[in-house]
Amino acid sequence: MTNTNYPSATPTTQPQRSSNSKNIVIGLLAVALLGSWAYFLMKINRSDKEILSKTEEGVHYMSQRDSLESLYKFTLDKYDSVSVSNNDLSGKLTGKQSEITKLKGEISSILRKKNATASELSRAKTLIEELNTKITTLEADVARLTGENQVLTTEKAQLIVEKDTLTANLATTQGEKKVLEETVDVGSTFSASNIAITPVNEKSSGKEKETTTAKKVDKLVVSYNVENRIAKSGPADMYIIVTAPDGKVISTEATGGGTFTTRTDGDQTFTYKTTINYEPGTRQNIQVPLVQDKFQTGDYKIQVYHNGFKIGEGVRTLKKGGLFS
Protein backbone atom coordinates (compact mmCIF):
# COMPACT_ATOMS: atom_id res chain seq x y z
CA MET A 1 0.00 0.00 0.00
CA THR A 2 1.34 3.30 -1.01
CA ASN A 3 1.13 6.34 1.27
CA THR A 4 0.30 9.63 -0.42
CA ASN A 5 -0.43 13.16 0.77
CA TYR A 6 -3.54 13.60 -1.44
CA PRO A 7 -7.03 13.25 0.01
CA SER A 8 -9.03 10.15 -0.76
CA ALA A 9 -11.68 10.33 -3.35
CA THR A 10 -14.14 8.24 -1.24
CA PRO A 11 -16.48 10.50 0.98
CA THR A 12 -16.73 9.95 4.77
CA THR A 13 -20.47 9.62 5.96
CA GLN A 14 -20.12 9.39 9.85
CA PRO A 15 -20.01 13.11 10.70
CA GLN A 16 -23.09 13.91 8.56
CA ARG A 17 -25.18 11.25 10.34
CA SER A 18 -24.27 12.76 13.71
CA SER A 19 -25.39 16.21 12.59
CA ASN A 20 -28.82 14.91 11.48
CA SER A 21 -29.48 13.23 14.84
CA LYS A 22 -28.68 16.41 16.64
CA ASN A 23 -31.15 18.31 14.53
CA ILE A 24 -33.88 15.75 15.20
CA VAL A 25 -33.32 16.01 18.95
CA ILE A 26 -33.41 19.76 18.77
CA GLY A 27 -36.66 19.61 16.79
CA LEU A 28 -38.23 17.22 19.27
CA LEU A 29 -37.21 19.43 22.16
CA ALA A 30 -38.67 22.44 20.37
CA VAL A 31 -41.93 20.60 19.81
CA ALA A 32 -42.07 19.49 23.43
CA LEU A 33 -41.29 23.01 24.61
CA LEU A 34 -43.98 24.44 22.42
CA GLY A 35 -46.40 21.77 23.60
CA SER A 36 -45.67 22.49 27.24
CA TRP A 37 -46.12 26.21 26.64
CA ALA A 38 -49.37 25.53 24.89
CA TYR A 39 -50.50 23.33 27.78
CA PHE A 40 -49.56 25.92 30.33
CA LEU A 41 -51.21 28.68 28.34
CA MET A 42 -54.35 26.59 27.95
CA LYS A 43 -54.37 25.75 31.68
CA ILE A 44 -53.82 29.35 32.59
CA ASN A 45 -56.62 30.39 30.25
CA ARG A 46 -58.92 27.76 31.75
CA SER A 47 -58.09 28.87 35.31
CA ASP A 48 -58.78 32.46 34.36
CA LYS A 49 -62.16 31.43 33.00
CA GLU A 50 -62.97 29.42 36.12
CA ILE A 51 -61.90 32.31 38.35
CA LEU A 52 -64.01 34.69 36.26
CA SER A 53 -66.94 32.31 36.45
CA LYS A 54 -66.59 31.89 40.20
CA THR A 55 -66.23 35.62 40.60
CA GLU A 56 -69.36 36.21 38.51
CA GLU A 57 -71.19 33.60 40.54
CA GLY A 58 -70.05 35.25 43.79
CA VAL A 59 -71.08 38.68 42.54
CA HIS A 60 -74.44 37.32 41.48
CA TYR A 61 -74.84 35.56 44.84
CA MET A 62 -73.98 38.69 46.81
CA SER A 63 -76.16 40.82 44.55
CA GLN A 64 -79.10 38.45 45.05
CA ARG A 65 -78.60 38.35 48.83
CA ASP A 66 -78.29 42.14 49.06
CA SER A 67 -81.40 42.53 46.94
CA LEU A 68 -83.34 40.15 49.17
CA GLU A 69 -82.20 41.91 52.33
CA SER A 70 -83.16 45.30 50.84
CA LEU A 71 -86.53 43.96 49.73
CA TYR A 72 -87.10 42.40 53.14
CA LYS A 73 -86.22 45.64 54.94
CA PHE A 74 -88.59 47.56 52.66
CA THR A 75 -91.34 45.03 53.41
CA LEU A 76 -90.75 45.33 57.17
CA ASP A 77 -90.90 49.13 56.93
CA LYS A 78 -94.20 48.77 55.14
CA TYR A 79 -95.47 46.47 57.88
CA ASP A 80 -94.40 48.92 60.57
CA SER A 81 -96.42 51.64 58.87
CA VAL A 82 -99.62 49.59 59.20
CA SER A 83 -98.97 48.09 62.61
CA VAL A 84 -102.17 47.81 64.63
CA SER A 85 -102.13 49.69 67.93
CA ASN A 86 -105.87 49.71 68.51
CA ASN A 87 -106.73 46.84 70.85
CA ASP A 88 -110.10 46.29 69.21
CA LEU A 89 -108.57 46.08 65.72
CA SER A 90 -105.72 43.92 67.00
CA GLY A 91 -108.22 41.41 68.30
CA LYS A 92 -109.94 41.17 64.93
CA LEU A 93 -106.64 40.79 63.03
CA THR A 94 -104.86 38.36 65.35
CA GLY A 95 -104.92 35.52 62.82
CA LYS A 96 -103.33 37.55 60.02
CA GLN A 97 -100.70 39.03 62.33
CA SER A 98 -99.78 35.52 63.46
CA GLU A 99 -99.26 34.46 59.83
CA ILE A 100 -97.07 37.50 59.20
CA THR A 101 -95.01 36.82 62.33
CA LYS A 102 -94.45 33.24 61.17
CA LEU A 103 -93.26 34.39 57.73
CA LYS A 104 -90.92 36.98 59.24
CA GLY A 105 -89.35 34.32 61.42
CA GLU A 106 -88.68 31.97 58.49
CA ILE A 107 -87.27 34.73 56.24
CA SER A 108 -85.01 36.09 58.97
CA SER A 109 -83.73 32.58 59.66
CA ILE A 110 -82.64 32.17 56.01
CA LEU A 111 -81.07 35.62 55.64
CA ARG A 112 -79.07 35.17 58.85
CA LYS A 113 -77.27 32.20 57.30
CA LYS A 114 -73.84 33.24 55.98
CA ASN A 115 -73.73 30.31 53.56
CA ALA A 116 -77.35 30.16 52.49
CA THR A 117 -77.80 28.14 49.32
CA ALA A 118 -79.33 29.47 46.14
CA SER A 119 -82.36 27.29 46.83
CA GLU A 120 -82.74 28.83 50.26
CA LEU A 121 -82.39 32.34 48.85
CA SER A 122 -85.01 31.50 46.26
CA ARG A 123 -87.25 30.28 49.08
CA ALA A 124 -86.64 33.53 50.95
CA LYS A 125 -87.64 35.52 47.87
CA THR A 126 -90.89 33.57 47.55
CA LEU A 127 -91.61 34.09 51.25
CA ILE A 128 -90.91 37.84 51.01
CA GLU A 129 -93.36 38.10 48.12
CA GLU A 130 -95.96 36.21 50.17
CA LEU A 131 -95.23 38.45 53.17
CA ASN A 132 -95.67 41.57 51.06
CA THR A 133 -99.03 40.29 49.80
CA LYS A 134 -100.23 39.57 53.33
CA ILE A 135 -99.10 43.01 54.53
CA THR A 136 -100.98 44.64 51.64
CA THR A 137 -104.09 42.69 52.63
CA LEU A 138 -103.55 43.64 56.28
CA GLU A 139 -103.24 47.30 55.31
CA ALA A 140 -106.58 47.13 53.47
CA ASP A 141 -108.22 45.37 56.43
CA VAL A 142 -106.89 47.97 58.86
CA ALA A 143 -108.23 50.79 56.69
CA ARG A 144 -111.62 49.08 56.41
CA LEU A 145 -111.90 48.28 60.10
CA THR A 146 -110.70 51.75 61.07
CA GLY A 147 -113.45 53.24 58.92
CA GLU A 148 -116.00 50.93 60.48
CA ASN A 149 -114.77 51.84 63.97
CA GLN A 150 -115.05 55.53 63.17
CA VAL A 151 -118.63 54.99 62.04
CA LEU A 152 -119.36 53.00 65.20
CA THR A 153 -117.70 55.67 67.34
CA THR A 154 -119.86 58.35 65.73
CA GLU A 155 -122.98 56.24 66.16
CA LYS A 156 -122.03 55.52 69.77
CA ALA A 157 -121.57 59.22 70.46
CA GLN A 158 -124.96 59.89 68.90
CA LEU A 159 -126.54 57.13 70.97
CA ILE A 160 -124.98 58.58 74.12
CA VAL A 161 -126.48 61.97 73.30
CA GLU A 162 -129.85 60.34 72.62
CA LYS A 163 -129.56 58.33 75.84
CA ASP A 164 -128.75 61.47 77.82
CA THR A 165 -131.72 63.20 76.22
CA LEU A 166 -133.99 60.26 77.02
CA THR A 167 -132.63 60.11 80.56
CA ALA A 168 -133.29 63.81 81.01
CA ASN A 169 -136.76 63.42 79.53
CA LEU A 170 -137.38 60.38 81.69
CA ALA A 171 -136.25 62.26 84.77
CA THR A 172 -138.57 65.10 83.80
CA THR A 173 -141.37 62.65 83.12
CA GLN A 174 -140.75 60.84 86.38
CA GLY A 175 -140.65 64.16 88.19
CA GLU A 176 -143.91 65.18 86.55
CA LYS A 177 -145.33 61.75 87.28
CA LYS A 178 -144.30 62.04 90.90
CA VAL A 179 -145.87 65.48 91.15
CA LEU A 180 -149.00 64.14 89.49
CA GLU A 181 -149.07 61.12 91.79
CA GLU A 182 -148.62 63.37 94.79
CA THR A 183 -151.36 65.60 93.47
CA VAL A 184 -153.64 62.63 92.95
CA ASP A 185 -152.65 61.25 96.33
CA VAL A 186 -153.42 64.51 98.07
CA GLY A 187 -156.52 64.92 95.96
CA SER A 188 -157.76 61.48 96.98
CA THR A 189 -157.91 62.52 100.64
CA PHE A 190 -161.44 62.29 102.01
CA SER A 191 -163.34 65.37 102.92
CA ALA A 192 -165.33 65.09 106.15
CA SER A 193 -168.61 66.81 106.86
CA ASN A 194 -171.41 66.82 109.46
CA ILE A 195 -169.09 65.92 112.33
CA ALA A 196 -171.12 65.21 115.42
CA ILE A 197 -170.15 64.10 118.96
CA THR A 198 -173.07 62.61 120.84
CA PRO A 199 -172.80 61.74 124.58
CA VAL A 200 -175.02 58.73 125.24
CA ASN A 201 -176.51 57.33 128.43
CA GLU A 202 -177.46 53.66 128.24
CA LYS A 203 -180.48 52.66 130.35
CA SER A 204 -180.81 49.31 132.07
CA SER A 205 -183.60 48.56 129.62
CA GLY A 206 -181.15 48.93 126.77
CA LYS A 207 -182.51 52.23 125.55
CA GLU A 208 -180.05 55.02 124.76
CA LYS A 209 -180.58 58.65 125.63
CA GLU A 210 -178.48 61.67 124.76
CA THR A 211 -177.18 63.57 127.78
CA THR A 212 -174.68 66.32 128.52
CA THR A 213 -174.08 65.36 132.15
CA ALA A 214 -170.62 63.88 132.47
CA LYS A 215 -171.44 61.35 135.19
CA LYS A 216 -174.34 59.92 133.15
CA VAL A 217 -172.36 59.49 129.93
CA ASP A 218 -171.53 55.89 129.09
CA LYS A 219 -170.05 56.55 125.65
CA LEU A 220 -169.29 59.25 123.11
CA VAL A 221 -170.44 58.46 119.59
CA VAL A 222 -168.41 60.25 116.91
CA SER A 223 -170.14 60.40 113.53
CA TYR A 224 -169.22 62.10 110.25
CA ASN A 225 -169.63 61.75 106.49
CA VAL A 226 -166.72 61.19 104.09
CA GLU A 227 -166.54 61.40 100.31
CA ASN A 228 -164.11 61.85 97.43
CA ARG A 229 -164.58 61.66 93.68
CA ILE A 230 -161.10 60.45 92.72
CA ALA A 231 -160.28 58.18 95.65
CA LYS A 232 -159.70 54.55 94.68
CA SER A 233 -162.09 51.90 95.78
CA GLY A 234 -161.05 49.62 98.60
CA PRO A 235 -160.08 49.83 102.25
CA ALA A 236 -159.18 53.20 103.73
CA ASP A 237 -157.76 53.86 107.19
CA MET A 238 -158.85 56.80 109.32
CA TYR A 239 -157.46 57.83 112.69
CA ILE A 240 -159.55 59.40 115.47
CA ILE A 241 -157.93 61.48 118.18
CA VAL A 242 -160.00 62.16 121.30
CA THR A 243 -158.51 64.66 123.72
CA ALA A 244 -160.02 64.75 127.21
CA PRO A 245 -160.71 68.00 129.15
CA ASP A 246 -157.40 67.53 131.01
CA GLY A 247 -155.55 67.89 127.66
CA LYS A 248 -154.51 64.22 127.44
CA VAL A 249 -155.24 62.06 124.42
CA ILE A 250 -157.30 59.02 125.33
CA SER A 251 -155.25 56.08 124.02
CA THR A 252 -155.46 52.71 125.69
CA GLU A 253 -155.06 49.07 124.78
CA ALA A 254 -158.83 48.73 124.91
CA THR A 255 -159.30 51.44 122.27
CA GLY A 256 -156.46 50.05 120.13
CA GLY A 257 -154.60 53.33 120.33
CA GLY A 258 -151.06 54.01 119.11
CA THR A 259 -149.12 56.55 117.02
CA PHE A 260 -149.15 57.50 113.34
CA THR A 261 -147.37 60.01 111.10
CA THR A 262 -149.17 63.02 109.71
CA ARG A 263 -148.06 65.19 106.80
CA THR A 264 -148.44 68.46 108.63
CA ASP A 265 -148.34 67.79 112.38
CA GLY A 266 -145.61 65.15 112.69
CA ASP A 267 -146.19 62.00 114.73
CA GLN A 268 -149.45 61.94 116.68
CA THR A 269 -151.02 59.66 119.27
CA PHE A 270 -154.41 58.37 118.18
CA THR A 271 -157.30 57.00 120.18
CA TYR A 272 -158.44 54.44 117.66
CA LYS A 273 -158.21 53.54 113.99
CA THR A 274 -161.15 52.66 111.84
CA THR A 275 -161.03 51.05 108.38
CA ILE A 276 -163.82 51.46 105.87
CA ASN A 277 -164.37 49.91 102.44
CA TYR A 278 -164.84 52.97 100.31
CA GLU A 279 -166.62 53.22 96.98
CA PRO A 280 -165.51 56.16 94.75
CA GLY A 281 -168.00 58.98 94.29
CA THR A 282 -170.20 58.00 97.23
CA ARG A 283 -170.89 59.71 100.54
CA GLN A 284 -170.31 57.35 103.38
CA ASN A 285 -171.36 57.82 107.00
CA ILE A 286 -168.95 56.73 109.72
CA GLN A 287 -169.89 56.16 113.39
CA VAL A 288 -167.32 55.30 116.03
CA PRO A 289 -168.21 54.86 119.74
CA LEU A 290 -165.79 55.69 122.56
CA VAL A 291 -166.69 53.76 125.72
CA GLN A 292 -165.25 54.64 129.15
CA ASP A 293 -166.14 53.91 132.78
CA LYS A 294 -166.03 57.60 133.63
CA PHE A 295 -166.03 60.81 131.63
CA GLN A 296 -164.71 64.14 132.86
CA THR A 297 -166.56 67.40 132.84
CA GLY A 298 -165.33 69.88 130.30
CA ASP A 299 -164.54 69.90 126.59
CA TYR A 300 -163.79 66.76 124.63
CA LYS A 301 -161.97 67.54 121.39
CA ILE A 302 -162.30 65.17 118.43
CA GLN A 303 -159.93 65.16 115.39
CA VAL A 304 -160.26 62.95 112.29
CA TYR A 305 -157.26 62.15 110.03
CA HIS A 306 -157.12 60.48 106.63
CA ASN A 307 -154.13 60.07 104.31
CA GLY A 308 -151.95 61.97 106.79
CA PHE A 309 -154.20 65.05 106.72
CA LYS A 310 -156.65 66.28 109.30
CA ILE A 311 -160.01 66.25 107.54
CA GLY A 312 -162.29 67.41 110.38
CA GLU A 313 -162.64 68.19 114.07
CA GLY A 314 -165.26 69.00 116.64
CA VAL A 315 -165.75 69.77 120.35
CA ARG A 316 -168.37 68.53 122.81
CA THR A 317 -168.78 69.84 126.34
CA LEU A 318 -169.90 67.65 129.19
CA LYS A 319 -171.42 69.35 132.21
CA LYS A 320 -171.12 68.54 135.89
CA GLY A 321 -174.86 68.29 136.36
CA GLY A 322 -177.19 69.72 139.13
CA LEU A 323 -179.17 68.23 141.97
CA PHE A 324 -182.08 67.18 139.77
CA SER A 325 -180.14 66.40 136.61
Side-chain angles (χ1 to χ4, degrees):
M1 182 175 184
T2 305
N3 291 329
T4 180
N5 292 329
Y6 292 97
S8 174
T10 304
T12 58
T13 60
Q14 185 63 32
Q16 185 175 1
R17 187 181 295 119
S18 177
S19 177
N20 290 337
S21 297
K22 186 178 181 180
N23 291 332
I24 292 171
V25 171
I26 292 171
L28 290 174
L29 289 174
V31 171
L33 182 61
L34 290 174
S36 63
W37 278 107
Y39 170 76
F40 285 122
L41 288 174
M42 181 178 66
K43 187 173 182 180
I44 290 172
N45 186 48
R46 184 185 302 167
S47 297
D48 289 343
K49 288 182 178 180
E50 289 178 356
I51 292 172
L52 180 61
S53 176
K54 294 295 183 182
T55 302
E56 289 177 349
E57 289 177 4
V59 170
H60 175 71
Y61 176 85
M62 295 303 296
S63 176
Q64 183 183 18
R65 187 186 187 90
D66 291 343
S67 296
L68 288 176
E69 289 180 345
S70 297
L71 179 59
Y72 183 51
K73 183 179 182 302
F74 173 78
T75 304
L76 291 181
D77 290 342
K78 179 179 179 182
Y79 177 61
D80 290 340
S81 69
V82 296
S83 60
V84 182
S85 58
N86 185 291
N87 290 332
D88 183 49
L89 293 183
S90 181
K92 295 178 180 179
L93 298 172
T94 299
K96 293 184 178 179
Q97 288 181 305
S98 297
E99 294 175 359
I100 289 174
T101 300
K102 182 178 179 181
L103 285 173
K104 285 170 58 181
E106 189 172 353
I107 294 168
S108 296
S109 177
I110 294 174
L111 294 181
R112 280 197 300 267
K113 291 182 179 181
K114 294 182 178 180
N115 299 317
T117 64
S119 176
E120 289 176 325
L121 293 178
S122 177
R123 170 68 176 165
K125 179 180 179 183
T126 301
L127 292 176
I128 292 172
E129 291 173 351
E130 182 180 352
L131 176 63
N132 190 58
T133 300
K134 288 188 178 297
I135 292 173
T136 300
T137 302
L138 177 67
E139 184 177 21
D141 288 340
V142 169
R144 175 177 57 81
L145 291 175
T146 300
E148 292 176 357
N149 275 6
Q150 289 175 348
V151 172
L152 291 175
T153 300
T154 301
E155 292 177 350
K156 180 181 178 181
Q158 184 176 356
L159 288 175
I160 291 174
V161 172
E162 292 176 357
K163 178 186 175 183
D164 291 342
T165 301
L166 289 174
T167 301
N169 291 340
L170 179 61
T172 301
T173 302
Q174 289 177 337
E176 293 174 348
K177 179 183 177 183
K178 185 177 181 180
V179 171
L180 179 60
E181 288 175 347
E182 290 176 351
T183 301
V184 172
D185 180 46
V186 172
S188 63
T189 303
F190 293 147
S191 61
S193 61
N194 299 325
I195 295 178
I197 304 166
T198 306
V200 176
N201 173 244
E202 292 182 339
K203 300 292 184 177
S204 57
S205 61
K207 292 183 179 180
E208 295 183 348
K209 180 181 178 182
E210 183 177 344
T211 180
T212 58
T213 303
K215 65 179 182 178
K216 293 184 177 182
V217 176
D218 297 305
K219 61 181 178 182
L220 289 177
V221 178
V222 180
S223 64
Y224 54 92
N225 297 328
V226 293
E227 62 181 321
N228 189 287
R229 294 183 178 181
I230 65 173
K232 295 180 180 180
S233 60
D237 295 332
M238 286 179 289
Y239 296 89
I240 310 299
I241 299 176
V242 180
T243 304
D246 60 4
K248 297 180 180 180
V249 175
I250 301 173
S251 181
T252 65
E253 185 177 347
T255 64
T259 60
F260 73 108
T261 301
T262 70
R263 303 199 191 200
T264 55
D265 304 318
D267 292 341
Q268 294 288 325
T269 301
F270 64 89
T271 304
Y272 49 81
K273 179 178 77 173
T274 181
T275 302
I276 65 170
N277 192 24
Y278 186 74
E279 295 181 6
T282 62
R283 178 176 294 177
Q284 204 162 330
N285 180 257
I286 309 298
Q287 290 189 2
V288 181
L290 173 62
V291 180
Q292 282 194 144
D293 293 335
K294 184 179 181 180
F295 285 88
Q296 304 173 24
T297 59
D299 295 335
Y300 279 84
K301 183 179 179 181
I302 309 296
Q303 296 172 296
V304 181
Y305 281 83
H306 173 247
N307 199 23
F309 294 100
K310 182 167 68 176
I311 61 174
E313 63 180 356
V315 177
R316 187 61 186 251
T317 303
L318 297 182
K319 299 178 181 179
K320 184 176 181 181
L323 180 63
F324 300 102
S325 60

